mmCIF file of all heavy atoms in Angstrom:
data_model
loop_
_atom_site.group_PDB
_atom_site.id
_atom_site.type_symbol
_atom_site.label_atom_id
_atom_site.label_comp_id
_atom_site.label_asym_id
_atom_site.label_seq_id
_atom_site.Cartn_x
_atom_site.Cartn_y
_atom_site.Cartn_z
ATOM 1 N N THR A 187 96.151 -48.425 41.725
ATOM 2 C CA THR A 187 97.637 -48.203 41.752
ATOM 3 C C THR A 187 98.430 -48.878 42.988
ATOM 4 O O THR A 187 99.661 -48.894 42.955
ATOM 5 C CB THR A 187 97.891 -46.614 41.986
ATOM 6 O OG1 THR A 187 97.120 -46.284 43.112
ATOM 7 C CG2 THR A 187 97.335 -45.853 40.833
ATOM 8 N N THR A 436 82.170 -41.151 46.752
ATOM 9 C CA THR A 436 83.758 -41.215 47.102
ATOM 10 C C THR A 436 84.445 -40.036 46.285
ATOM 11 O O THR A 436 84.289 -40.056 44.965
ATOM 12 C CB THR A 436 84.176 -42.607 46.713
ATOM 13 O OG1 THR A 436 83.456 -43.547 47.376
ATOM 14 C CG2 THR A 436 85.716 -42.754 46.960
ATOM 15 N N TYR A 437 85.089 -39.232 46.971
ATOM 16 C CA TYR A 437 85.841 -38.192 46.321
ATOM 17 C C TYR A 437 87.336 -38.583 46.227
ATOM 18 O O TYR A 437 88.037 -38.350 47.230
ATOM 19 C CB TYR A 437 85.717 -36.896 47.203
ATOM 20 C CG TYR A 437 84.394 -36.266 47.306
ATOM 21 C CD1 TYR A 437 83.535 -36.620 48.323
ATOM 22 C CD2 TYR A 437 84.075 -35.256 46.491
ATOM 23 C CE1 TYR A 437 82.302 -36.144 48.523
ATOM 24 C CE2 TYR A 437 82.794 -34.688 46.617
ATOM 25 C CZ TYR A 437 81.866 -35.157 47.686
ATOM 26 O OH TYR A 437 80.697 -34.556 47.872
ATOM 27 N N GLY A 438 87.684 -39.264 45.191
ATOM 28 C CA GLY A 438 89.036 -39.640 44.989
ATOM 29 C C GLY A 438 89.580 -38.915 43.815
ATOM 30 O O GLY A 438 89.230 -37.758 43.552
ATOM 31 N N THR A 439 90.398 -39.527 43.004
ATOM 32 C CA THR A 439 90.808 -38.970 41.714
ATOM 33 C C THR A 439 89.623 -38.567 40.834
ATOM 34 O O THR A 439 89.590 -37.387 40.477
ATOM 35 C CB THR A 439 91.695 -40.013 40.899
ATOM 36 O OG1 THR A 439 92.664 -40.554 41.808
ATOM 37 C CG2 THR A 439 92.199 -39.475 39.699
ATOM 38 N N GLY A 440 88.692 -39.437 40.792
ATOM 39 C CA GLY A 440 87.386 -39.140 40.252
ATOM 40 C C GLY A 440 86.357 -39.219 41.348
ATOM 41 O O GLY A 440 86.743 -39.405 42.521
ATOM 42 N N GLY A 481 87.715 -35.313 39.704
ATOM 43 C CA GLY A 481 87.292 -34.813 41.046
ATOM 44 C C GLY A 481 88.550 -34.343 41.714
ATOM 45 O O GLY A 481 88.937 -33.237 41.381
ATOM 46 N N GLY A 482 89.093 -35.136 42.624
ATOM 47 C CA GLY A 482 90.336 -34.665 43.360
ATOM 48 C C GLY A 482 91.408 -34.458 42.379
ATOM 49 O O GLY A 482 92.346 -33.627 42.685
ATOM 50 N N ALA A 483 91.399 -34.999 41.116
ATOM 51 C CA ALA A 483 92.382 -34.777 40.214
ATOM 52 C C ALA A 483 92.496 -33.315 39.729
ATOM 53 O O ALA A 483 93.537 -32.766 39.296
ATOM 54 C CB ALA A 483 92.179 -35.534 38.968
ATOM 55 N N VAL A 485 92.206 -30.895 41.788
ATOM 56 C CA VAL A 485 93.095 -30.280 42.908
ATOM 57 C C VAL A 485 94.583 -30.536 42.690
ATOM 58 O O VAL A 485 95.483 -29.724 42.695
ATOM 59 C CB VAL A 485 92.553 -30.793 44.251
ATOM 60 C CG1 VAL A 485 93.523 -30.251 45.454
ATOM 61 C CG2 VAL A 485 91.241 -30.471 44.522
ATOM 62 N N GLN A 486 94.831 -31.828 42.111
ATOM 63 C CA GLN A 486 96.154 -32.234 41.743
ATOM 64 C C GLN A 486 96.613 -31.300 40.574
ATOM 65 O O GLN A 486 97.804 -30.923 40.642
ATOM 66 C CB GLN A 486 96.191 -33.599 41.156
ATOM 67 C CG GLN A 486 96.379 -34.610 42.205
ATOM 68 C CD GLN A 486 96.204 -36.067 41.811
ATOM 69 O OE1 GLN A 486 95.592 -36.319 40.681
ATOM 70 N NE2 GLN A 486 96.670 -37.064 42.455
ATOM 71 N N ARG A 489 97.766 -28.131 41.844
ATOM 72 C CA ARG A 489 99.082 -28.347 42.551
ATOM 73 C C ARG A 489 100.225 -28.402 41.559
ATOM 74 O O ARG A 489 101.188 -27.775 41.631
ATOM 75 C CB ARG A 489 98.990 -29.534 43.421
ATOM 76 C CG ARG A 489 100.235 -29.901 44.247
ATOM 77 C CD ARG A 489 100.246 -31.236 44.918
ATOM 78 N NE ARG A 489 100.190 -32.247 43.798
ATOM 79 C CZ ARG A 489 99.986 -33.580 44.055
ATOM 80 N NH1 ARG A 489 99.697 -34.006 45.174
ATOM 81 N NH2 ARG A 489 100.017 -34.381 42.984
ATOM 82 N N ALA A 498 97.811 -30.893 48.067
ATOM 83 C CA ALA A 498 96.296 -30.882 47.848
ATOM 84 C C ALA A 498 95.525 -30.241 49.034
ATOM 85 O O ALA A 498 94.663 -29.415 48.799
ATOM 86 C CB ALA A 498 95.837 -32.281 47.523
ATOM 87 N N PRO A 499 95.875 -30.708 50.368
ATOM 88 C CA PRO A 499 95.057 -30.065 51.423
ATOM 89 C C PRO A 499 95.109 -28.569 51.488
ATOM 90 O O PRO A 499 94.182 -27.923 51.985
ATOM 91 C CB PRO A 499 95.574 -30.722 52.589
ATOM 92 C CG PRO A 499 96.235 -31.940 52.178
ATOM 93 C CD PRO A 499 96.863 -31.676 50.794
ATOM 94 N N ASP A 500 96.199 -27.920 50.959
ATOM 95 C CA ASP A 500 96.281 -26.419 50.957
ATOM 96 C C ASP A 500 95.199 -25.749 50.238
ATOM 97 O O ASP A 500 95.124 -24.460 50.425
ATOM 98 C CB ASP A 500 97.738 -26.039 50.453
ATOM 99 C CG ASP A 500 98.837 -26.511 51.354
ATOM 100 O OD1 ASP A 500 98.732 -26.245 52.565
ATOM 101 O OD2 ASP A 500 99.767 -27.198 50.972
ATOM 102 N N ILE A 501 94.501 -26.462 49.363
ATOM 103 C CA ILE A 501 93.478 -25.731 48.653
ATOM 104 C C ILE A 501 92.365 -25.168 49.559
ATOM 105 O O ILE A 501 91.794 -24.121 49.278
ATOM 106 C CB ILE A 501 92.890 -26.680 47.576
ATOM 107 C CG1 ILE A 501 92.014 -25.806 46.541
ATOM 108 C CG2 ILE A 501 92.047 -27.678 48.170
ATOM 109 C CD1 ILE A 501 91.404 -26.619 45.405
ATOM 110 N N GLU A 502 92.179 -25.820 50.737
ATOM 111 C CA GLU A 502 91.147 -25.430 51.586
ATOM 112 C C GLU A 502 91.388 -24.045 52.112
ATOM 113 O O GLU A 502 90.484 -23.144 52.025
ATOM 114 C CB GLU A 502 90.923 -26.416 52.746
ATOM 115 C CG GLU A 502 89.704 -26.139 53.513
ATOM 116 C CD GLU A 502 89.287 -27.310 54.438
ATOM 117 O OE1 GLU A 502 89.893 -28.360 54.352
ATOM 118 O OE2 GLU A 502 88.327 -27.095 55.184
ATOM 119 N N LEU A 553 86.908 -26.345 43.668
ATOM 120 C CA LEU A 553 86.096 -27.065 44.819
ATOM 121 C C LEU A 553 84.595 -27.097 44.360
ATOM 122 O O LEU A 553 84.024 -28.095 44.434
ATOM 123 C CB LEU A 553 86.294 -26.532 46.153
ATOM 124 C CG LEU A 553 87.747 -26.626 46.736
ATOM 125 C CD1 LEU A 553 87.801 -26.035 48.095
ATOM 126 C CD2 LEU A 553 88.218 -28.123 46.785
ATOM 127 N N GLY A 582 86.666 -41.042 50.750
ATOM 128 C CA GLY A 582 87.757 -40.697 49.754
ATOM 129 C C GLY A 582 88.700 -39.621 50.155
ATOM 130 O O GLY A 582 88.229 -38.784 51.059
ATOM 131 N N GLY A 583 89.766 -39.537 49.590
ATOM 132 C CA GLY A 583 90.835 -38.585 49.937
ATOM 133 C C GLY A 583 90.318 -37.118 50.107
ATOM 134 O O GLY A 583 90.756 -36.451 51.084
ATOM 135 N N ALA A 584 89.586 -36.660 49.136
ATOM 136 C CA ALA A 584 89.154 -35.227 49.201
ATOM 137 C C ALA A 584 88.041 -34.970 50.221
ATOM 138 O O ALA A 584 87.783 -33.788 50.451
ATOM 139 C CB ALA A 584 88.788 -34.747 47.759
ATOM 140 N N ALA A 586 88.311 -35.237 53.115
ATOM 141 C CA ALA A 586 88.987 -34.642 54.347
ATOM 142 C C ALA A 586 88.751 -33.042 54.247
ATOM 143 O O ALA A 586 88.951 -32.351 55.253
ATOM 144 C CB ALA A 586 90.434 -34.868 54.289
ATOM 145 N N ASN A 587 88.324 -32.555 53.107
ATOM 146 C CA ASN A 587 88.252 -31.032 52.880
ATOM 147 C C ASN A 587 86.892 -30.557 53.462
ATOM 148 O O ASN A 587 85.846 -30.814 52.684
ATOM 149 C CB ASN A 587 88.464 -30.885 51.347
ATOM 150 C CG ASN A 587 88.587 -29.327 51.179
ATOM 151 O OD1 ASN A 587 87.769 -28.532 51.626
ATOM 152 N ND2 ASN A 587 89.516 -28.981 50.279
ATOM 153 N N LEU A 590 85.016 -28.124 50.965
ATOM 154 C CA LEU A 590 84.425 -28.832 49.855
ATOM 155 C C LEU A 590 83.045 -29.445 50.275
ATOM 156 O O LEU A 590 82.056 -29.309 49.674
ATOM 157 C CB LEU A 590 85.334 -30.031 49.360
ATOM 158 C CG LEU A 590 84.755 -30.966 48.353
ATOM 159 C CD1 LEU A 590 84.361 -30.286 47.076
ATOM 160 C CD2 LEU A 590 85.723 -32.111 48.011
HETATM 161 P P1 LIG B 77 92.313 -42.499 44.686
HETATM 162 O O1 LIG B 77 91.904 -43.628 45.546
HETATM 163 O O2 LIG B 77 91.451 -42.278 43.480
HETATM 164 O O3 LIG B 77 93.743 -42.590 44.327
HETATM 165 P P2 LIG B 77 92.140 -40.829 47.070
HETATM 166 O O4 LIG B 77 90.886 -41.164 47.747
HETATM 167 O O5 LIG B 77 93.441 -41.279 47.728
HETATM 168 O O6 LIG B 77 92.164 -41.173 45.589
HETATM 169 O O7 LIG B 77 92.209 -39.297 47.032
HETATM 170 C C1 LIG B 77 93.198 -38.526 46.387
HETATM 171 C C2 LIG B 77 92.700 -37.372 45.650
HETATM 172 O O8 LIG B 77 92.106 -36.417 46.547
HETATM 173 C C3 LIG B 77 93.727 -36.631 44.899
HETATM 174 O O9 LIG B 77 93.308 -36.336 43.690
HETATM 175 C C4 LIG B 77 93.987 -35.367 45.747
HETATM 176 O O10 LIG B 77 94.230 -34.287 44.909
HETATM 177 C C5 LIG B 77 92.621 -35.107 46.414
HETATM 178 N N1 LIG B 77 92.788 -34.566 47.744
HETATM 179 C C6 LIG B 77 93.459 -35.158 48.766
HETATM 180 N N2 LIG B 77 93.347 -34.377 49.962
HETATM 181 C C7 LIG B 77 92.592 -33.335 49.581
HETATM 182 C C8 LIG B 77 92.012 -32.165 50.203
HETATM 183 N N3 LIG B 77 92.301 -31.992 51.472
HETATM 184 N N4 LIG B 77 91.223 -31.336 49.538
HETATM 185 C C9 LIG B 77 91.043 -31.490 48.212
HETATM 186 N N5 LIG B 77 91.464 -32.535 47.513
HETATM 187 C C10 LIG B 77 92.261 -33.537 48.206
#
Side-chain angles (χ1 to χ4, degrees):
T187 57
T436 301
Y437 298 85
T439 307
V485 179
Q486 270 170 347
R489 184 193 65 189
D500 292 308
I501 193 173
E502 186 164 359
L553 293 181
N587 189 314
L590 170 64

